[in-house]
Amino acid sequence: MSDNIMKKIDLHIHTTASDGSFTPSELLEEAKRRRLSTIAITDHDTVAGIEEAIEKGKELGIEVIPGIELTTYYQGQRVDILGYQIDYHNQELLAIIDNLQNSREVRAKQILAKLSNLGIELDFARLKEIAGETGVGRPHIARLMVEEGHVSEMQEAFDNYLEDGGPAYVPKYQLKPEDAIELIQGAGGIVVLAHPGIIDNNEIVKELINYEGLTGIEVYYSKHSKEETEYYLSLAQENDLIITGGSDCHGPANEDKYLLGTVDVPYSLLEELKK
């Protein structure tokens, strides 16, 4: 048991398959340097990085939990739903992911059209190059805006153009929480409510944890305050929910390279998750 106490885990990480800046292999190399024993790949709305991560993990002796973070909306609020131990070859899951990626491309073109009307011309082919295997999203557009010299940093692109309600904002295709729960369960996964502190409305959190099929809550999180962590820990215990935790690391280009492995997540939580 003492060995387990020493083991470091991080169950919320992104790669270049979505909006992270570590490739799956680079991420595993960094995890090795930080002496992590287990990580979960939880890219936004895609499983494209999992296979590479698992193979690299085998090479480096790091366990990789296959996961996903599905973006949903509830009462006008963005609510992210994590899925763990998923069958990432599940056909229904892959079909929905494909729909999400196609809708992202349509949305990206609409955003570029709005930017063009504002005097900012961006090349869609170059945007696709930046996005790589994953579907294009706002972070990729922001990166291209920096590359072309329209803004000095990505945050400026969001603040002035791309943020919700901004002059170049286009709403995205929206899943409901119940859709995500059903999808993850259908792929044999465990459903966890991501970073409830970011939802900024605990009444919504209380409603969501009563959804049938939602079995866990992310208590330990890089942006949760000590008070929030204590509150969600008690909420999880009162409602007999699985407890998870992670850094939500997106890598060096997103200025949070050093988040990886920085959240103190008890190894015992991973054992509970596996049960």
Side-chain angles (χ1 to χ4, degrees):
M1 195 67 178
S2 58
D3 287 344
N4 286 350
I5 291 171
M6 299 301 291
K7 287 183 178 179
K8 289 178 68 178
I9 64 175
D10 192 331
L11 303 180
H12 191 156
I13 312 175
H14 301 277
T15 75
T16 49
S18 64
D19 58 345
S21 53
F22 282 128
T23 67
S25 293
E26 288 169 345
L27 175 63
L28 268 294
E29 295 280 4
E30 188 67 23
K32 182 73 172 178
R33 281 191 285 274
R34 291 169 183 271
R35 300 186 179 184
L36 287 160
S37 66
T38 303
I39 66 169
I41 303 295
T42 54
D43 279 313
H44 294 285
D45 307 323
T46 182
V47 294
I50 292 174
E51 196 84 59
E52 180 185 334
I54 288 175
E55 289 307 308
K56 191 67 175 179
K58 287 176 183 174
E59 179 188 319
L60 297 175
I62 298 173
E63 181 182 21
V64 176
I65 305 292
I68 193 167
E69 185 173 17
L70 290 171
T71 310
T72 77
Y73 289 84
Y74 180 77
Q75 294 184 11
Q77 282 258 16
R78 174 171 166 164
V79 173
D80 289 339
I81 305 291
L82 290 159
Y84 291 106
Q85 300 281 41
I86 57 170
D87 171 12
Y88 55 97
H89 298 298
N90 179 272
Q91 289 304 305
E92 187 178 355
L93 177 65
L94 293 175
I96 294 295
I97 285 171
D98 191 48
N99 286 343
L100 287 168
Q101 301 300 353
N102 288 338
S103 69
R104 283 184 174 192
E105 192 162 306
V106 170
R107 183 193 188 207
K109 288 177 178 176
Q110 291 171 337
I111 291 173
L112 260 55
K114 284 196 169 189
L115 286 170
S116 177
N117 290 336
L118 296 167
I120 297 174
E121 299 292 340
L122 297 175
D123 180 51
F124 185 72
R126 176 59 189 141
L127 181 62
K128 292 271 283 184
E129 286 176 10
I130 291 171
E133 293 292 317
T134 184
V136 291
R138 285 185 292 176
H140 305 118
I141 296 170
R143 245 177 253 174
L144 182 54
M145 289 174 74
V146 172
E147 183 180 290
E148 294 289 324
H150 297 292
V151 292
S152 58
E153 57 183 10
M154 288 176 63
Q155 192 58 51
E156 185 184 342
F158 275 91
D159 291 344
N160 294 343
Y161 300 98
L162 303 175
E163 67 180 0
D164 291 11
Y169 175 71
V170 173
K172 69 189 295 184
Y173 169 71
Q174 297 184 354
L175 283 179
K176 296 176 182 176
E178 56 265 39
D179 299 330
I181 291 168
E182 185 178 342
L183 200 57
I184 291 165
Q185 283 190 308
I190 299 155
V191 185
V192 172
L193 179 64
H195 41 58
I198 286 182
I199 295 172
D200 203 31
N201 185 331
N202 282 325
E203 291 310 308
I204 286 179
V205 172
K206 288 175 183 176
E207 289 173 24
L208 290 167
I209 62 174
N210 286 315
Y211 268 48
E212 186 178 349
L214 195 145
T215 55
I217 186 168
E218 187 174 44
V219 170
Y220 300 99
Y221 181 67
S222 55
K223 296 180 179 66
H224 279 175
S225 66
K226 185 171 181 283
E227 292 73 25
E228 285 173 326
T229 300
E230 289 172 355
Y231 173 75
Y232 294 121
L233 182 59
S234 64
L235 193 65
Q237 291 168 339
E238 287 165 13
N239 291 275
D240 197 26
L241 294 169
I242 292 168
I243 297 163
T244 70
S247 66
D248 202 3
C249 176
H250 284 72
N254 296 273
E255 299 180 356
D256 64 1
K257 175 181 181 179
Y258 301 106
L259 273 182
L260 182 63
T262 57
V263 177
D264 188 12
V265 184
Y267 188 83
S268 59
L269 300 185
L270 178 62
E271 296 172 325
E272 286 298 313
L273 186 69
K274 288 179 177 179
K275 285 179 185 176

